[in-house]
């Protein structure tokens, strides 16, 4: 999908109108000779940007602007950094199509509001466990209907804690990462390269994994759905 | 994600709906309409049906995905004042006539509770199933099918879920073996026809999987009966579709009665043996478990909770001669522990 279906577009426009607060900047990394998914992602993002005047768009040449790529932690393309009033660490790699379009929309809304929507007690619990930087990679595919649930939850944690950053990775576009991280099912999360789990987990269990990652202790895989 | 903005001062809810699937969401919509102070606590939003690729038996929609259906009912519920907490309830206790629901972080008090907790996938009890879970033993073709592009896979199960899983996987896999314990695939006729027309799907009848083997990944399944002269099938993935187990543990700990399958016993009013505790959907002992029946039970439960709380529900039909809307809930309060 490189265009937004009309019925979905109307829903998104309305949601943006009701929920977007601060400006959001979508920084898209591609290259001059765009890869097939780079071109599709580019087209899709251009459409999304038009859905609200609070969204701006910047296209960065990944090959030429190494400094910008390094600054935003971009090491592969197509890549998207979703920036709000500040950089909350929300990144998407690969085309956010299919069900992942929902993750993109959630990311834009979270970046704009800066509100994690976690309860005060959940935020407090997160602060206690996310004592060190934790990079959460979530591997997804566009046909996975439950993947946006985990992606959005990770975004919530990133909004609530400056120690959390999130990479949503469309694994079909990065097969070498599927091999590296042994991704057979989605969603699969890898935290700080050491802690991993597969499937959906409720927020409390996700926090346990964040705590383990912050402490540097490895775990196995715990699928739940 | 919709997690309500909670304050330290918690309200006493009229009803706590446990479960975020279509049954719970529909109940929340009705409870909201009836102005019950409602909290829905459930994870994941949409429930298990969100992993279904297509639904063709929900009246009003010729065909839509499970996630679309769940999203539509969620959006409908949001039209009313309902607090939604997409987290897992970890404990429910009774304090006199009221109930306390705990999640990992928060606590909610309510006058009534509705269990719409649904089911989880049943696991295959054979060697290798645990070892390879998440590493080739999967439960969601829609989520994981693309990882098996041009590979041979097996689906274990003999019902409609197995048929649908095989059809989903046919989008990517080179070959799909459906290993069926009985002598027929008990799928909806329309899905059975689709399976028969899909050449890459092979049905293996009267056969059980006895183990899943390989190193480091899955290489084969071992069968208890030979198929085409061999007791092994070379596959890279095994999708399990052998039914589900009711998620009734919280209810049982509360004292709610279940049958031998662990399904919550309810009457036609969705009441359980505990006053103020209702149950609906796949977690109950109803025989026909569908999205539409769960939704119907969910809204029935919301209405019964309303009556239990003494609400004066004014039906639009109240003045009609042929239909009465009884206000007295006594006959429905008869069940006790």
């Amino acid at each position: 999908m490189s265009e937004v279906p009309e019925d979905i577009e109307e829903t998104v426009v309305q949601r943006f109108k009701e929920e977007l607060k601060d400006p959001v900047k979508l920084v898209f990394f591609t290259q001059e000779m765009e890869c097939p998914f780079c071109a599709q992602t580019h087209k899709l993002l251009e459409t999304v940007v038009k859905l609200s005047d609070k969204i701006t768009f910047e296209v960065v040449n990944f090959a030429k602007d190494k400094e910008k790529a390094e600054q935003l932690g971009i090491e592969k393309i197509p890549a998207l950094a979703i920036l709000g009033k500040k950089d909350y660490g929300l990144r998407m790699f690969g085309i956010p199509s299919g069900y992942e379009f929902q993750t993109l929309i959630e990311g834009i809304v979270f970046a704009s509001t800066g509100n994690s929507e976690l309860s005060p007690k959940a935020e407090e619990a997160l602060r206690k466990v996310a004592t060190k930087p934790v990079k959460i990679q979530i591997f997804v595919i566009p046909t996975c209907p439950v993947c946006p649930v985990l992606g959005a939850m990770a975004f919530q944690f990133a909004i609530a804690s400056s120690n959390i950053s999130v990479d949503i990775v469309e694994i079909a576009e990065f097969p070498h990462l599927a091999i590296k991280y042994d991704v057979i099912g989605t969603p699969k999360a890898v935290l700080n390269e050491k802690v991993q789990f597969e499937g959906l987990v409720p927020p409390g269990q996700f926090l346990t994994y964040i705590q383990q990652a912050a402490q540097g202790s490895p775990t196995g895989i715990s699928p739940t759905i | 994600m919709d997690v309500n903005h909670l304050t330290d001062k918690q309200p006493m809810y009229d009803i706590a709906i446990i479960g975020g699937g279509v049954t719970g969401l529909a109940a929340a919509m009705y409870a909201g309409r009836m102005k019950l102070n409602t909290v829905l606590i459930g994870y994941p939003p949409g429930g298990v049906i969100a992993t279904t690729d297509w639904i063709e038996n929900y009246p009003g929609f010729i065909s839509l995905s499970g996630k679309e259906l769940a999203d539509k009912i969620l959006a409908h519920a949001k039209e009313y004042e309902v607090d939604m907490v997409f987290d897992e309830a970890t404990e429910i206790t009774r304090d006199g006539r009221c109930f306390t629901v705990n999640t990992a972080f928060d606590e909610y008090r309510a006058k009534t509770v509705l269990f719409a907790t649904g089911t989880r996938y049943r696991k295959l009890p054979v060697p290798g199933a645990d070892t390879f879970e998440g590493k080739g033993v999967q439960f969601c073709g829609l989520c994981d099918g693309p990882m098996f592009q041009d590979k041979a896979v097996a689906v274990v199960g003999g019902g409609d879920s197995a048929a649908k899983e095989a059809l989903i996987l046919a989008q990517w896999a080179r070959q799909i073996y459906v290993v069926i314990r009985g002598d027929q695939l008990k799928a909806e006729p329309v899905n059975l026809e689709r399976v028969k027309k899909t050449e890459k799907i092979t049905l293996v009848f009267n056969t059980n999987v006895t183990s899943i083997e390989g190193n480091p990944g899955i290489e084969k399944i071992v069968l208890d009966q030979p198929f085409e002269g061999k007791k092994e099938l070379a596959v890279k993935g095994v999708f399990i579709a052998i039914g589900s187990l009711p998620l009734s543990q919280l209810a049982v700990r509360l004292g709610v009665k279940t049958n031998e399958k662990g399904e919550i016993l309810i009457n036609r009013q969705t009441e359980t043996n505990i006053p103020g505790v209702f149950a609906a959907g796949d977690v109950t002992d109803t025989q026909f478990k569908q999205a539409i029946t769960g939704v119907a039970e969910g809204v029935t439960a919301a209405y019964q909770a309303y009556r239990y709380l003494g609400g004066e529900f004014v039906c639009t039909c109240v003045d009609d001669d042929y239909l009465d809307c009884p206000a007295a809930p006594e006959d429905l309060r008869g069940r006790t522990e």
Side-chain angles (χ1 to χ4, degrees):
Chain A
M1 181 182 83
S2 57
E3 290 179 356
V4 184
E6 204 170 305
D7 56 332
I8 293 175
E9 185 175 313
E10 282 176 24
T11 307
V12 173
V13 167
Q14 189 59 31
R15 186 167 176 206
F16 281 169
K17 196 175 174 184
E18 290 171 3
E19 297 186 35
L20 295 193
K21 187 181 156 200
D22 295 323
V24 174
K25 188 175 191 181
L26 301 182
V27 184
F28 175 57
F29 289 80
T30 183
Q31 58 192 13
E32 278 175 19
M33 287 290 287
E34 289 192 313
C35 60
F37 284 113
C38 294
Q40 288 181 39
T41 307
H42 196 156
K43 195 175 175 186
L44 175 65
L45 293 175
E46 281 180 334
T47 309
V48 171
V49 169
K50 290 174 187 165
L51 304 182
S52 170
D53 57 12
K54 290 194 173 166
I55 305 173
T56 56
F57 191 41
E58 179 184 353
V59 180
V60 178
N61 188 317
F62 176 66
K64 290 181 179 172
D65 199 342
K66 291 289 181 192
E67 192 179 335
K68 185 95 176 178
E70 195 173 324
Q71 180 201 337
L72 293 176
I74 305 298
E75 76 288 357
K76 51 188 174 286
I77 57 169
L80 174 67
I82 307 171
L83 309 180
K85 197 159 55 179
K86 64 175 189 175
D87 181 5
Y88 294 100
L90 313 185
R91 306 284 184 269
M92 297 187 80
F93 297 90
I95 184 167
S97 66
Y99 288 114
E100 280 311 301
F101 184 69
Q102 186 179 335
T103 309
L104 169 65
I105 302 305
E106 297 294 339
I108 291 171
V109 172
F110 280 130
S112 177
T113 63
N115 181 352
S116 74
E117 296 190 3
L118 294 170
S119 74
K121 285 182 182 173
E123 281 206 354
E124 187 186 331
L126 177 64
R127 271 194 297 275
K128 284 181 183 169
V129 301
T131 51
K132 292 177 183 170
V134 175
K135 181 178 178 178
I136 302 171
Q137 294 182 84
I138 297 183
F139 300 107
V140 300
I141 50 175
T143 61
C144 170
V146 299
C147 289
V149 175
L150 197 71
M153 194 194 299
F155 280 171
Q156 286 183 281
F157 293 145
I159 295 290
S161 169
S162 57
N163 270 340
I164 306 284
S165 60
V166 179
D167 289 359
I168 306 288
V169 182
E170 202 283 275
I171 196 64
E173 291 174 54
F174 303 98
H176 63 290
L177 295 180
I179 294 167
K180 180 180 177 183
Y181 294 107
D182 195 20
V183 181
I184 294 177
T186 58
K188 178 167 183 172
V190 176
L191 291 72
N192 280 2
E193 305 288 330
K194 286 183 177 174
V195 178
Q196 58 177 317
F197 66 88
E198 191 175 284
L200 292 184
V201 295
Q205 197 176 341
F206 204 146
L207 248 59
T208 305
Y209 289 123
I210 290 174
Q211 183 175 27
Q212 289 169 349
Q215 292 170 347
S217 53
T219 67
I221 298 170
S222 302
T224 58
I225 190 166
Chain B
M1 187 174 189
D2 294 297
V3 177
N4 65 315
H5 305 272
L6 299 165
T7 63
D8 289 337
K9 198 173 181 180
Q10 291 285 349
M12 170 64 82
Y13 288 101
D14 290 325
I15 183 169
I17 297 167
I18 314 301
V22 290
T23 299
L25 292 170
M29 187 271 278
Y30 258 72
R33 277 182 68 80
M34 289 185 281
K35 300 288 184 189
L36 294 183
N37 191 7
T38 303
V39 61
L40 178 142
I41 302 163
Y43 184 85
V48 171
I49 203 168
T51 62
T52 302
D53 197 12
W54 72 91
I55 293 172
E56 296 170 331
N57 54 8
Y58 197 93
F61 301 98
I62 292 168
S63 181
L64 79 174
S65 73
K67 188 165 190 321
E68 278 178 301
L69 178 63
D71 285 348
K72 283 178 186 294
I73 301 176
L74 172 62
H76 199 164
K78 281 182 174 176
E79 290 291 308
Y80 302 95
E81 288 186 23
V82 174
D83 285 343
M84 294 197 182
V85 181
F86 291 126
D87 198 354
E88 199 173 61
T90 54
E91 197 59 68
I92 301 174
T93 52
R94 185 162 52 151
D95 174 18
R97 285 172 62 90
C98 297
F99 301 89
T100 301
V101 182
N102 289 96
T103 64
F105 310 112
D106 295 291
E107 186 178 286
Y108 306 86
R109 299 257 295 154
K111 297 171 190 168
T112 65
V113 171
L114 164 58
F115 285 99
T117 39
T119 58
R120 68 170 174 81
Y121 299 118
R122 187 190 293 270
K123 296 184 179 184
L124 188 66
V126 301
D130 282 344
T131 311
F132 290 111
E133 187 167 318
K135 296 177 179 176
V137 172
Q138 311 296 132
F139 295 87
C140 175
L142 201 54
C143 308
D144 308 327
M147 309 308 289
F148 295 88
Q149 182 82 44
D150 298 325
K151 293 175 182 169
V153 299
V155 173
V156 183
D160 194 54
S161 296
K164 289 173 86 170
E165 199 76 337
L167 290 166
I168 289 169
L169 290 166
Q171 296 174 68
W172 303 286
R174 170 175 52 81
Q175 172 74 52
I176 302 109
Y177 298 101
V178 183
V179 183
I180 304 163
R181 189 173 52 182
D183 59 3
Q184 57 181 311
L185 180 61
K186 294 175 182 171
E188 271 196 68
V190 63
N191 289 329
L192 191 58
E193 282 302 310
R194 287 172 177 152
V195 166
K196 286 176 179 173
K197 285 178 184 170
T198 308
E199 284 185 9
K200 59 169 80 171
I201 297 177
T202 303
L203 304 180
V204 183
F205 294 109
N206 299 309
T207 303
N208 291 294
V209 174
T210 58
S211 67
I212 301 167
E213 299 177 6
N215 185 20
I218 293 175
E219 292 164 0
K220 64 184 178 187
I221 55 174
V222 180
L223 311 174
D224 66 349
Q225 300 291 331
F227 175 72
E228 294 180 347
K230 290 182 181 176
K231 275 196 165 185
E232 295 178 354
L233 285 175
V235 295
K236 293 293 184 186
V238 182
F239 286 77
I240 312 298
I242 55 171
S244 52
L245 297 170
L247 290 168
S248 58
Q249 296 88 336
L250 287 178
V252 169
R253 290 209 289 271
L254 190 63
V256 173
K257 287 182 180 171
T258 58
N259 64 14
E260 69 284 356
K261 296 177 188 170
E263 296 167 333
I264 296 174
L265 296 171
I266 59 168
N267 62 12
R268 288 194 67 182
Q269 285 75 44
T270 71
E271 294 171 305
T272 70
N273 59 300
I274 299 180
V277 178
F278 305 86
D282 288 359
V283 74
T284 70
D285 64 334
T286 47
Q287 193 177 16
F288 193 44
K289 297 179 193 301
Q290 298 283 295
I292 185 64
T293 58
V295 163
E297 285 172 12
V299 302
T300 300
Y303 173 55
Q304 295 304 335
Y306 178 86
R307 296 188 69 187
Y308 173 84
L309 293 167
E312 293 186 10
F313 186 43
V314 180
C315 292
T316 53
C317 58
V318 73
D319 293 324
D320 291 346
D321 291 336
Y322 55 86
L323 197 61
D324 189 23
C325 297
E330 280 75 13
D331 60 319
L332 302 173
R333 289 182 181 172
R335 296 189 104 197
T336 55
E337 288 175 274

